[in-house]
Each structure stands twice: as C-alpha cells, then as structure tokens.
Coordinates of all heavy atoms in Angstrom, one line a residue:
M1 N -16.0 -3.7 -15.3 CA -17.3 -4.1 -14.6 C -16.9 -5.1 -13.6 O -16.2 -6.1 -13.8 CB -18.2 -4.7 -15.7 CG -18.4 -3.9 -16.8 SD -20.2 -3.6 -17.0 CE -20.2 -2.8 -18.6
Q2 N -17.4 -4.9 -12.4 CA -17.2 -5.7 -11.3 C -18.2 -6.9 -11.2 O -19.4 -6.6 -11.4 CB -17.1 -4.9 -10.0 CG -15.9 -4.1 -9.9 CD -15.8 -3.4 -8.5 OE1 -16.8 -2.8 -8.1 NE2 -14.8 -3.6 -7.8
T3 N -17.8 -8.0 -10.7 CA -18.7 -9.1 -10.5 C -18.8 -9.2 -8.9 O -18.1 -8.6 -8.1 CB -18.1 -10.4 -11.0 OG1 -16.8 -10.7 -10.3 CG2 -17.8 -10.3 -12.5
L4 N -19.9 -9.9 -8.6 CA -20.1 -10.2 -7.1 C -19.0 -10.8 -6.4 O -18.6 -10.5 -5.3 CB -21.4 -11.0 -7.0 CG -22.7 -10.4 -7.4 CD1 -23.9 -11.4 -7.3 CD2 -23.0 -9.2 -6.5
S5 N -18.3 -11.8 -7.1 CA -17.2 -12.4 -6.4 C -16.0 -11.5 -6.1 O -15.3 -11.7 -5.1 CB -16.7 -13.6 -7.2 OG -16.2 -13.2 -8.5
E6 N -15.9 -10.4 -6.8 CA -14.9 -9.4 -6.6 C -15.2 -8.5 -5.4 O -14.3 -7.9 -4.8 CB -14.7 -8.5 -7.8 CG -14.1 -9.2 -9.0 CD -14.1 -8.4 -10.2 OE1 -15.0 -7.7 -10.5 OE2 -13.1 -8.4 -10.9
L7 N -16.4 -8.5 -4.9 CA -16.8 -7.7 -3.8 C -16.8 -8.5 -2.4 O -16.7 -7.9 -1.4 CB -18.2 -7.2 -4.0 CG -18.5 -6.2 -5.1 CD1 -19.9 -5.7 -5.0 CD2 -17.5 -5.1 -5.1
V8 N -16.9 -9.8 -2.5 CA -17.1 -10.6 -1.3 C -16.1 -10.3 -0.1 O -16.5 -10.1 1.0 CB -17.0 -12.1 -1.6 CG1 -17.0 -13.0 -0.3 CG2 -18.2 -12.5 -2.5
E9 N -14.8 -10.2 -0.4 CA -13.8 -10.1 0.6 C -13.6 -8.7 1.2 O -13.3 -8.6 2.4 CB -12.4 -10.5 0.1 CG -12.3 -12.0 -0.2 CD -12.5 -12.8 1.2 OE1 -11.9 -12.4 2.2 OE2 -13.2 -13.8 1.1
S10 N -13.9 -7.6 0.5 CA -13.5 -6.3 1.0 C -14.6 -5.3 0.9 O -14.3 -4.1 1.2 CB -12.3 -5.8 0.3 OG -11.1 -6.7 0.5
F11 N -15.8 -5.6 0.5 CA -16.8 -4.6 0.3 C -18.1 -5.0 1.0 O -18.4 -6.2 1.1 CB -17.1 -4.4 -1.2 CG -15.9 -3.8 -1.9 CD1 -14.9 -4.6 -2.5 CD2 -15.8 -2.4 -2.0 CE1 -13.8 -4.0 -3.0 CE2 -14.8 -1.8 -2.7 CZ -13.7 -2.6 -3.2
H12 N -19.0 -4.1 1.3 CA -20.3 -4.3 1.7 C -21.2 -3.6 0.6 O -20.8 -2.6 0.0 CB -20.6 -3.6 3.0 CG -20.1 -4.4 4.2 ND1 -20.2 -3.9 5.5 CD2 -19.4 -5.6 4.3 CE1 -19.6 -4.7 6.3 NE2 -19.1 -5.8 5.6
L13 N -22.4 -4.2 0.4 CA -23.3 -3.7 -0.6 C -24.6 -3.3 0.2 O -25.1 -4.1 0.9 CB -23.6 -4.8 -1.6 CG -24.3 -4.4 -2.8 CD1 -23.7 -3.3 -3.7 CD2 -24.5 -5.7 -3.7
Y14 N -25.1 -2.1 -0.1 CA -26.3 -1.6 0.6 C -27.3 -1.2 -0.5 O -27.0 -0.6 -1.5 CB -26.0 -0.4 1.4 CG -25.1 -0.6 2.6 CD1 -23.8 -0.6 2.5 CD2 -25.6 -1.0 3.8 CE1 -22.9 -0.8 3.5 CE2 -24.8 -1.3 4.9 CZ -23.5 -1.2 4.8 OH -22.6 -1.4 5.8
G15 N -28.6 -1.6 -0.3 CA -29.7 -1.1 -1.1 C -30.2 0.1 -0.4 O -30.5 0.1 0.9
V16 N -30.5 1.1 -1.1 CA -31.0 2.4 -0.5 C -32.4 2.7 -1.2 O -32.4 2.8 -2.4 CB -30.0 3.6 -0.8 CG1 -30.6 4.9 -0.2 CG2 -28.7 3.3 -0.2
C17 N -33.4 2.9 -0.4 CA -34.7 3.3 -0.9 C -34.9 4.7 -0.3 O -35.2 4.9 0.8 CB -35.8 2.4 -0.3 SG -37.4 2.8 -0.9
E18 N -34.8 5.7 -1.3 CA -35.0 7.1 -0.9 C -36.5 7.4 -0.6 O -36.8 8.2 0.2 CB -34.5 7.9 -1.9 CG -32.9 7.9 -1.9 CD -32.2 8.8 -2.9 OE1 -32.9 9.5 -3.7 OE2 -31.0 8.8 -2.9
P19 N -37.5 6.8 -1.3 CA -38.9 7.1 -1.1 C -39.3 6.8 0.4 O -40.1 7.6 0.9 CB -39.7 6.2 -2.0 CG -38.8 6.0 -3.2 CD -37.4 5.9 -2.5
C20 N -38.8 5.8 1.0 CA -39.1 5.5 2.4 C -38.0 5.7 3.3 O -38.1 5.2 4.5 CB -39.8 4.1 2.5 SG -38.7 2.7 2.2
D21 N -36.9 6.2 2.9 CA -35.7 6.6 3.7 C -35.2 5.3 4.4 O -35.0 5.4 5.6 CB -36.1 7.7 4.7 CG -34.9 8.4 5.2 OD1 -33.9 8.4 4.5 OD2 -35.0 8.8 6.4
R22 N -35.0 4.3 3.7 CA -34.5 3.0 4.3 C -33.2 2.6 3.6 O -33.1 2.8 2.4 CB -35.6 2.0 4.1 CG -35.3 0.7 4.8 CD -36.4 -0.3 4.7 NE -36.0 -1.5 5.4 CZ -36.5 -2.6 5.2 NH1 -37.6 -2.7 4.4 NH2 -36.1 -3.7 5.8
M23 N -32.4 1.9 4.3 CA -31.2 1.4 3.8 C -30.9 0.0 4.5 O -31.0 -0.1 5.7 CB -29.9 2.3 4.0 CG -28.7 1.7 3.4 SD -27.3 2.8 3.7 CE -27.0 2.6 5.4
D24 N -30.6 -1.0 3.7 CA -30.3 -2.4 4.2 C -29.1 -2.9 3.6 O -28.9 -2.7 2.3 CB -31.5 -3.3 4.0 CG -32.5 -3.2 5.1 OD1 -32.1 -2.8 6.2 OD2 -33.7 -3.6 4.8
Q25 N -28.3 -3.6 4.3 CA -27.1 -4.3 3.8 C -27.6 -5.5 3.0 O -28.5 -6.2 3.5 CB -26.2 -4.7 4.9 CG -24.9 -5.3 4.3 CD -23.8 -5.6 5.4 OE1 -24.0 -5.1 6.5 NE2 -22.8 -6.3 5.0
I26 N -27.0 -5.7 1.8 CA -27.4 -6.8 1.0 C -26.3 -7.9 1.2 O -25.1 -7.6 1.2 CB -27.4 -6.5 -0.5 CG1 -28.5 -5.4 -0.7 CG2 -27.6 -7.7 -1.4 CD1 -28.4 -4.7 -2.1
D27 N -26.7 -9.1 1.4 CA -25.8 -10.3 1.7 C -25.2 -10.7 0.4 O -25.7 -11.5 -0.4 CB -26.7 -11.3 2.3 CG -25.8 -12.5 2.9 OD1 -24.6 -12.6 2.5 OD2 -26.4 -13.3 3.6
I28 N -23.9 -10.3 0.2 CA -23.2 -10.6 -1.0 C -22.9 -12.1 -1.2 O -23.2 -12.7 -2.2 CB -21.9 -9.8 -1.1 CG1 -22.2 -8.3 -1.2 CG2 -21.1 -10.2 -2.4 CD1 -21.0 -7.4 -1.1
P29 N -22.5 -12.8 -0.1 CA -22.3 -14.3 -0.3 C -23.6 -15.0 -0.7 O -23.6 -16.0 -1.5 CB -21.8 -14.7 1.1 CG -21.1 -13.5 1.6 CD -22.0 -12.4 1.2
E30 N -24.7 -14.6 -0.1 CA -26.0 -15.2 -0.5 C -26.4 -14.9 -2.0 O -26.9 -15.7 -2.7 CB -27.1 -14.6 0.4 CG -28.5 -15.3 0.2 CD -28.5 -16.8 0.5 OE1 -27.6 -17.3 1.3 OE2 -29.4 -17.5 -0.1
L31 N -26.1 -13.7 -2.5 CA -26.3 -13.3 -3.9 C -25.4 -14.2 -4.8 O -25.8 -14.6 -5.8 CB -25.9 -11.9 -4.1 CG -27.0 -10.8 -3.8 CD1 -26.5 -9.5 -4.2 CD2 -28.3 -11.1 -4.5
V32 N -24.2 -14.4 -4.4 CA -23.3 -15.3 -5.1 C -23.8 -16.7 -5.2 O -23.8 -17.3 -6.3 CB -21.9 -15.3 -4.5 CG1 -21.0 -16.4 -5.1 CG2 -21.2 -14.0 -4.6
K33 N -24.4 -17.2 -4.1 CA -25.1 -18.5 -4.2 C -26.2 -18.6 -5.1 O -26.4 -19.5 -5.9 CB -25.6 -18.9 -2.8 CG -24.6 -19.3 -1.8 CD -25.2 -19.7 -0.5 CE -24.2 -19.8 0.6 NZ -24.8 -20.1 1.9
I34 N -27.0 -17.5 -5.1 CA -28.2 -17.4 -6.0 C -27.9 -17.1 -7.5 O -28.4 -17.8 -8.4 CB -29.2 -16.4 -5.4 CG1 -29.7 -16.9 -4.0 CG2 -30.4 -16.2 -6.3 CD1 -30.5 -15.8 -3.3
L35 N -27.1 -16.1 -7.7 CA -26.9 -15.6 -9.0 C -25.6 -16.0 -9.6 O -25.4 -15.9 -10.8 CB -26.9 -14.0 -9.0 CG -28.2 -13.4 -8.4 CD1 -28.0 -11.9 -8.3 CD2 -29.4 -13.7 -9.3
G36 N -24.6 -16.5 -8.8 CA -23.3 -16.8 -9.3 C -22.3 -15.7 -9.1 O -22.6 -14.5 -9.1
G37 N -21.0 -16.1 -8.9 CA -20.0 -15.2 -8.7 C -19.7 -14.3 -9.9 O -19.1 -13.2 -9.7
D38 N -20.0 -14.6 -11.1 CA -19.7 -13.9 -12.3 C -20.8 -12.9 -12.6 O -20.7 -12.1 -13.6 CB -19.5 -14.8 -13.5 CG -18.3 -15.6 -13.4 OD1 -17.3 -15.2 -12.7 OD2 -18.2 -16.7 -14.0
Y39 N -21.9 -12.8 -11.8 CA -23.0 -11.9 -12.0 C -22.4 -10.5 -11.8 O -21.8 -10.2 -10.9 CB -24.1 -12.2 -11.0 CG -25.4 -11.6 -11.5 CD1 -26.2 -12.2 -12.4 CD2 -25.9 -10.4 -10.9 CE1 -27.4 -11.7 -12.8 CE2 -27.1 -9.9 -11.3 CZ -27.9 -10.5 -12.2 OH -29.1 -10.1 -12.6
L40 N -22.8 -9.6 -12.7 CA -22.3 -8.2 -12.6 C -23.0 -7.4 -11.6 O -24.2 -7.4 -11.5 CB -22.5 -7.5 -14.0 CG -21.6 -8.1 -15.1 CD1 -21.9 -7.3 -16.4 CD2 -20.1 -8.0 -14.8
V41 N -22.3 -6.6 -10.8 CA -22.8 -5.8 -9.8 C -23.8 -4.8 -10.3 O -24.9 -4.6 -9.7 CB -21.7 -5.0 -9.0 CG1 -22.3 -4.1 -8.0 CG2 -20.7 -6.0 -8.3
Q42 N -23.6 -4.2 -11.5 CA -24.5 -3.3 -12.0 C -25.8 -3.9 -12.4 O -26.9 -3.2 -12.3 CB -23.9 -2.6 -13.3 CG -23.9 -3.6 -14.5 CD -23.2 -2.9 -15.7 OE1 -22.6 -1.8 -15.6 NE2 -23.5 -3.5 -16.9
D43 N -25.9 -5.2 -12.6 CA -27.1 -5.9 -12.9 C -27.9 -6.2 -11.6 O -29.1 -6.4 -11.7 CB -26.9 -7.2 -13.6 CG -26.4 -6.9 -15.1 OD1 -26.5 -5.8 -15.6 OD2 -25.7 -7.9 -15.6
V44 N -27.3 -6.1 -10.5 CA -28.0 -6.3 -9.2 C -29.0 -5.1 -9.0 O -30.1 -5.3 -8.5 CB -27.0 -6.4 -8.0 CG1 -27.7 -6.3 -6.7 CG2 -26.2 -7.6 -8.2
R45 N -28.6 -3.9 -9.5 CA -29.5 -2.7 -9.4 C -30.8 -3.0 -9.9 O -31.9 -2.5 -9.3 CB -28.9 -1.6 -10.2 CG -27.7 -0.9 -9.5 CD -27.3 0.3 -10.4 NE -26.0 0.8 -10.0 CZ -25.8 1.6 -8.9 NH1 -26.8 2.0 -8.2 NH2 -24.6 2.0 -8.6
H46 N -31.0 -3.7 -10.9 CA -32.3 -4.0 -11.5 C -33.2 -5.0 -10.7 O -34.3 -5.2 -11.0 CB -32.2 -4.4 -12.9 CG -31.4 -3.4 -13.8 ND1 -31.9 -2.2 -14.1 CD2 -30.1 -3.4 -14.3 CE1 -31.0 -1.5 -14.8 NE2 -29.9 -2.2 -14.9
R47 N -32.5 -5.7 -9.9 CA -33.2 -6.8 -9.1 C -33.6 -6.4 -7.7 O -34.5 -7.1 -7.1 CB -32.3 -8.0 -9.1 CG -31.9 -8.6 -10.4 CD -31.1 -9.8 -10.3 NE -31.8 -10.9 -9.7 CZ -32.3 -12.0 -10.3 NH1 -32.2 -12.1 -11.6 NH2 -32.9 -12.9 -9.6
I48 N -33.0 -5.4 -7.1 CA -33.3 -5.2 -5.7 C -34.6 -4.4 -5.6 O -35.0 -3.6 -6.4 CB -32.1 -4.4 -5.0 CG1 -31.9 -3.0 -5.7 CG2 -30.9 -5.2 -5.0 CD1 -30.8 -2.2 -4.9
R49 N -35.3 -4.8 -4.5 CA -36.6 -4.1 -4.2 C -36.6 -3.8 -2.7 O -36.3 -4.7 -1.9 CB -37.7 -5.1 -4.7 CG -39.1 -4.5 -4.4 CD -40.1 -5.6 -4.7 NE -40.1 -6.1 -6.0 CZ -40.8 -5.6 -7.0 NH1 -41.5 -4.6 -6.9 NH2 -40.7 -6.2 -8.2
C50 N -37.2 -2.7 -2.4 CA -37.3 -2.4 -0.9 C -38.3 -3.4 -0.3 O -39.5 -3.5 -0.8 CB -37.8 -1.0 -0.8 SG -38.0 -0.5 1.0
E51 N -38.0 -4.0 0.8 CA -38.9 -4.9 1.5 C -40.0 -4.2 2.2 O -41.1 -4.7 2.5 CB -38.1 -5.7 2.5 CG -37.2 -6.7 1.9 CD -36.4 -7.6 2.9 OE1 -36.4 -7.2 4.1 OE2 -35.8 -8.5 2.5
Q52 N -39.8 -2.9 2.5 CA -40.8 -2.1 3.2 C -41.9 -1.6 2.3 O -43.1 -1.7 2.6 CB -40.1 -1.0 4.0 CG -41.1 -0.1 4.8 CD -40.4 0.8 5.7 OE1 -39.4 0.4 6.4 NE2 -40.8 2.0 5.8
C53 N -41.5 -0.9 1.2 CA -42.5 -0.3 0.3 C -42.7 -0.9 -1.0 O -43.6 -0.6 -1.8 CB -42.2 1.3 0.2 SG -40.7 1.6 -0.9
G54 N -41.7 -1.8 -1.3 CA -41.9 -2.6 -2.6 C -41.3 -1.9 -3.8 O -41.4 -2.4 -4.9
Q55 N -40.8 -0.7 -3.7 CA -40.2 0.1 -4.8 C -38.9 -0.4 -5.3 O -38.1 -1.0 -4.5 CB -39.9 1.5 -4.3 CG -41.2 2.3 -3.9 CD -41.6 3.3 -5.0 OE1 -41.0 3.5 -6.0 NE2 -42.9 3.8 -4.8
R56 N -38.7 -0.3 -6.6 CA -37.3 -0.6 -7.1 C -36.7 0.7 -7.4 O -36.9 1.3 -8.5 CB -37.5 -1.4 -8.4 CG -38.0 -2.9 -8.2 CD -37.9 -3.6 -9.6 NE -38.5 -4.9 -9.5 CZ -37.8 -6.0 -9.2 NH1 -36.5 -5.9 -9.0 NH2 -38.4 -7.1 -9.2
T57 N -35.8 1.1 -6.6 CA -35.2 2.4 -6.7 C -33.8 2.3 -7.5 O -33.3 3.4 -7.9 CB -34.9 3.1 -5.3 OG1 -34.0 2.3 -4.6 CG2 -36.2 3.2 -4.6
R58 N -33.3 1.1 -7.6 CA -32.0 0.9 -8.3 C -30.9 1.7 -7.6 O -29.9 2.0 -8.2 CB -32.1 1.2 -9.7 CG -33.1 0.3 -10.4 CD -33.1 0.6 -11.9 NE -34.1 -0.3 -12.5 CZ -34.7 -0.1 -13.6 NH1 -34.4 1.0 -14.3 NH2 -35.5 -1.0 -14.1
N59 N -31.0 2.1 -6.4 CA -30.0 2.9 -5.7 C -29.2 2.0 -4.8 O -29.8 1.4 -3.8 CB -30.7 4.0 -4.9 CG -29.8 5.1 -4.5 OD1 -28.6 5.0 -4.6 ND2 -30.4 6.2 -4.0
M60 N -27.9 1.9 -5.0 CA -27.0 1.0 -4.3 C -25.8 1.8 -3.8 O -25.4 2.8 -4.4 CB -26.6 -0.2 -5.0 CG -27.6 -1.2 -5.3 SD -26.9 -2.7 -6.0 CE -25.5 -2.3 -6.9
R61 N -25.3 1.4 -2.7 CA -24.0 1.9 -2.2 C -23.0 0.8 -2.1 O -23.3 -0.3 -1.5 CB -24.1 2.6 -0.9 CG -25.1 3.8 -0.8 CD -24.5 4.9 -1.7 NE -25.4 6.1 -1.6 CZ -26.3 6.3 -2.5 NH1 -26.5 5.6 -3.5 NH2 -27.1 7.4 -2.4
I62 N -21.9 0.9 -2.7 CA -20.8 -0.1 -2.5 C -19.7 0.5 -1.5 O -19.2 1.6 -1.9 CB -20.2 -0.4 -3.9 CG1 -21.3 -1.0 -4.7 CG2 -19.0 -1.5 -3.7 CD1 -20.8 -1.2 -6.2
V63 N -19.4 -0.1 -0.4 CA -18.6 0.5 0.5 C -17.4 -0.4 0.8 O -17.5 -1.6 1.1 CB -19.3 0.7 1.9 CG1 -18.5 1.3 2.9 CG2 -20.6 1.5 1.6
Y64 N -16.2 0.2 0.6 CA -15.0 -0.5 0.9 C -14.8 -0.6 2.4 O -14.8 0.3 3.1 CB -13.7 0.1 0.3 CG -12.4 -0.5 0.6 CD1 -12.1 -1.7 0.0 CD2 -11.6 0.0 1.6 CE1 -10.9 -2.4 0.3 CE2 -10.4 -0.6 1.8 CZ -10.1 -1.8 1.3 OH -8.9 -2.5 1.5
V65 N -14.6 -1.9 2.9 CA -14.4 -2.1 4.3 C -13.1 -2.9 4.6 O -12.8 -3.1 5.8 CB -15.6 -2.9 4.9 CG1 -16.9 -2.1 4.9 CG2 -15.8 -4.3 4.2
G66 N -12.3 -3.1 3.6 CA -11.1 -3.8 3.8 C -11.2 -5.3 3.9 O -12.4 -5.8 4.0
P67 N -10.1 -6.0 3.8 CA -10.2 -7.5 3.9 C -10.8 -8.0 5.2 O -10.5 -7.5 6.3 CB -8.7 -7.9 3.9 CG -8.0 -6.7 3.2 CD -8.7 -5.5 3.7
G68 N -11.8 -8.9 5.1 CA -12.5 -9.4 6.2 C -13.5 -8.4 6.8 O -14.0 -8.7 7.9
G69 N -13.7 -7.3 6.3 CA -14.7 -6.4 6.8 C -14.3 -5.7 8.0 O -15.1 -5.1 8.8
R70 N -13.0 -5.6 8.3 CA -12.5 -5.0 9.6 C -12.7 -3.6 9.7 O -12.9 -3.0 10.8 CB -11.0 -5.3 9.8 CG -10.8 -6.8 10.2 CD -9.3 -7.1 10.4 NE -8.9 -7.6 9.0 CZ -7.7 -7.2 8.5 NH1 -6.9 -6.4 9.1 NH2 -7.4 -7.6 7.3
A71 N -12.7 -2.8 8.6 CA -12.9 -1.3 8.7 C -14.3 -0.9 8.5 O -14.5 0.3 8.1 CB -11.9 -0.7 7.6
A72 N -15.3 -1.8 8.8 CA -16.7 -1.5 8.5 C -17.1 -0.3 9.3 O -16.9 -0.3 10.6 CB -17.6 -2.7 8.8
G73 N -17.7 0.7 8.7 CA -18.2 1.8 9.4 C -18.8 2.7 8.3 O -18.1 3.4 7.7
F74 N -20.1 2.7 8.1 CA -20.7 3.4 7.0 C -22.1 4.0 7.5 O -22.9 3.3 8.1 CB -21.0 2.5 5.8 CG -21.8 3.1 4.8 CD1 -21.3 4.1 4.0 CD2 -23.0 2.6 4.5 CE1 -22.0 4.6 2.9 CE2 -23.8 3.1 3.4 CZ -23.2 4.2 2.7
R75 N -22.3 5.2 7.2 CA -23.5 5.9 7.5 C -23.9 6.7 6.3 O -23.2 7.5 5.8 CB -23.3 6.8 8.7 CG -24.6 7.6 9.1 CD -24.3 8.2 10.5 NE -25.1 9.3 10.9 CZ -26.2 9.8 10.5 NH1 -26.8 9.4 9.4 NH2 -26.7 10.9 11.0
Y76 N -25.1 6.3 5.8 CA -25.6 7.0 4.6 C -26.3 8.3 5.0 O -27.2 8.2 5.8 CB -26.5 6.1 3.8 CG -27.2 6.8 2.6 CD1 -26.4 7.1 1.5 CD2 -28.5 7.1 2.6 CE1 -27.0 7.7 0.4 CE2 -29.1 7.7 1.5 CZ -28.4 8.0 0.5 OH -28.9 8.6 -0.6
T77 N -25.9 9.4 4.4 CA -26.7 10.6 4.7 C -26.9 11.3 3.4 O -26.2 11.2 2.4 CB -25.9 11.6 5.6 OG1 -24.6 11.8 5.0 CG2 -25.6 11.0 6.9
R78 N -27.9 12.1 3.3 CA -28.2 12.9 2.1 C -27.8 14.4 2.4 O -27.9 14.9 3.4 CB -29.7 12.9 1.8 CG -30.1 11.5 1.3 CD -31.4 11.6 0.7 NE -32.4 10.9 1.6 CZ -33.7 10.9 1.4 NH1 -34.1 11.5 0.3 NH2 -34.5 10.3 2.2

C-alpha cells in the first residue's frame, strides 16, 4: 500500500469524475500537509469530490512522471 509521501517526487494524482466528464490534478504536497505523509493513497479515493457536480466517484489516476515531474504528459481518454 502506497502512502502520499511515496508519490510526491515522481507521480501526479488526478481525480476523475465520469458523470460530468471532468478531470483535475490533485495537489499531493497539499494533501500531505492536511492528511500527513503516512496517509494511504487508497483512502484518498473516499475523500475526493468533484468541485463541479459534487459527486464522489472514487475514480483516480496515478501517473508516473519521473523525478521532479519532468516527464509529465497525461491525457485521460475513455
């Protein structure tokens, strides 16, 4: 099981709302400040809510971007 602190350096986290077809990047460092670095990534699923429609879809994408986020390039498609 991965913790938030394990994602900070090399991953991006996205919340995906399929009902309203929206995807937003979740600020991992901010989550670490709020929830702590030992908070489990799987538990974040139960906390995220779409800012547009208010739904809790529990749908997330974890994307490897390399150290420092240099390889960032992600497009979610269905």
